[in-house]
């Protein structure tokens, strides 16, 4: 797959730490069903930054999180340009996405869906994507395209086992401690998570993110 080798090399040159490919089970855009293939892109978060998270997010984590999103958006945008140069359509999906006030906890496509189908990892009990290489300390973005792409890795079985550290550590009580389902039901409550962050962590920054469940995950090997 010469095009996939080119995209992987380009993504790594632009700053991506992981990249995978897949065909989606259902095209996410009704008006563009041809965009049924996905490039899943991930960047690793700093170990030193994550160690600053304790019982609350830190200022440096808040800034680091936003910087990682900016990098991912740039990588997705530039990969989309390369796909168009090759004669294909491409639609980058931002690292942090929302369908607006009426549906604030969903986006065009969950990045972790593309990452799982690409064989890059699995979704844990926290609802976070857990990378094979980096655990939960990754941020993701996705590029949709009509370029035929083939997954190069097998889908990975959930590896949480009996661990419930994220559920115990979550200050919002938003994690159910259950494995994710295959019918679209969440294993955590994003509204409860968001509400707690807005009530308790606004001094860290506007739209602050918690990170406690990510910090505590033993898959991270900090």
């Amino acid at each position: 797959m010469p095009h996939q080798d080119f995209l992987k090399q380009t993504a790594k040159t632009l700053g991506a730490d992981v990249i995978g490919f897949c065909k989606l089970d259902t095209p996410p855009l009704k008006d563009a069903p041809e965009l049924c293939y996905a490039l899943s892109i991930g960047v690793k978060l700093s170990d030193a930054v994550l160690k600053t998270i304790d019982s609350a997010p830190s200022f440096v984590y808040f800034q680091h999180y936003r910087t990682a999103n900016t990098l991912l958006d740039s990588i997705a945008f530039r990969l989309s340009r390369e796909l168009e140069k090759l004669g294909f359509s491409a639609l980058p999906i931002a690292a942090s996405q929302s369908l607006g006030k009426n549906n604030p906890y969903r986006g065009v496509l969950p990045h972790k869906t593309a990452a799982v189908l690409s064989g890059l990892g699995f979704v844990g009990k926290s609802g976070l994507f857990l990378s094979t290489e980096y655990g939960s300390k990754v941020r993701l973005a996705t590029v949709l395209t009509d370029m035929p792409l083939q997954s190069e890795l097998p889908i990975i079985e959930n590896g949480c086992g009996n661990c419930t550290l994220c559920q115990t550590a979550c200050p919002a009580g938003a994690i159910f401690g259950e494995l994710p389902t295959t019918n679209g039901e969440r294993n955590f409550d994003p509204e409860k998570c968001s509400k707690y962050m807005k009530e308790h962590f606004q001094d860290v920054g506007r739209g602050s993110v918690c990170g406690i469940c990510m910090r505590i995950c033993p898959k991270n090997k900090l």
Side-chain angles (χ1 to χ4, degrees):
M1 304 292 286
H3 283 332
Q4 291 187 191
D5 290 339
F6 166 74
L7 292 170
K8 281 192 290 186
Q9 183 58 48
T10 301
K12 292 294 182 71
T13 300
L14 293 173
D17 293 302
V18 294
I19 178 170
F21 310 95
C22 68
K23 182 176 182 180
L24 300 169
D25 297 330
T26 303
L29 300 174
K30 293 182 180 179
D31 296 335
E34 71 278 7
L35 300 179
C36 59
Y37 297 92
L39 289 74
S40 178
I41 311 151
V43 297
K44 174 188 172 295
L45 299 176
S46 162
D47 290 347
V49 170
L50 296 187
K51 288 178 180 178
T52 68
I53 301 171
D54 188 9
S55 58
S58 66
F59 289 99
V60 290
Y61 171 63
F62 173 62
Q63 296 298 332
H64 186 61
Y65 180 95
R66 296 180 68 179
T67 302
N69 284 352
T70 300
L71 174 59
L72 280 164
D73 291 347
S74 175
I75 296 171
F77 179 82
R78 295 176 70 176
L79 285 175
S80 296
R81 287 169 56 89
E82 294 300 326
L83 284 163
E84 289 183 342
K85 290 177 185 178
L86 292 171
F88 299 95
S89 295
L91 187 151
I93 301 177
S96 183
Q97 53 169 326
S98 169
L99 294 178
K101 293 182 179 180
N102 294 330
N103 201 350
Y105 306 115
R106 292 193 181 277
V108 174
L109 170 75
H111 296 305
K112 53 193 172 185
T113 296
V116 168
L117 291 175
S118 297
L120 298 178
F122 61 92
V123 178
K125 292 179 180 179
S126 60
L128 296 173
F129 174 75
L130 304 183
S131 161
T132 303
E133 296 181 67
Y134 304 116
S136 63
K137 56 187 178 185
V138 292
R139 292 290 297 158
L140 299 169
T142 309
V143 176
L144 299 178
T145 182
D146 59 355
M147 173 191 279
L149 298 171
Q150 183 176 344
S151 179
E152 300 175 344
L153 300 169
I155 293 179
I156 299 171
E157 183 179 353
N158 189 291
C160 285
N162 295 323
C163 180
T164 56
L165 286 176
C166 59
Q167 180 188 23
T168 303
C170 178
I175 298 174
F176 306 153
E178 301 171 359
L179 293 176
T181 65
T182 57
N183 60 3
E185 292 183 13
R186 287 191 171 104
N187 54 343
F188 80 108
D189 187 334
E191 184 174 4
K192 184 179 288 187
C193 173
S194 178
K195 183 178 179 181
Y196 188 91
M197 287 191 293
K198 290 175 181 177
E199 291 178 350
H200 297 273
F201 301 144
Q202 276 299 311
D203 59 325
V204 176
R206 183 175 179 273
S208 63
V209 287
C210 176
I212 293 174
C213 60
M214 179 180 60
R215 169 69 173 87
I216 201 70
C217 180
K219 295 292 184 180
N220 291 342
K221 302 175 184 178
L222 290 177

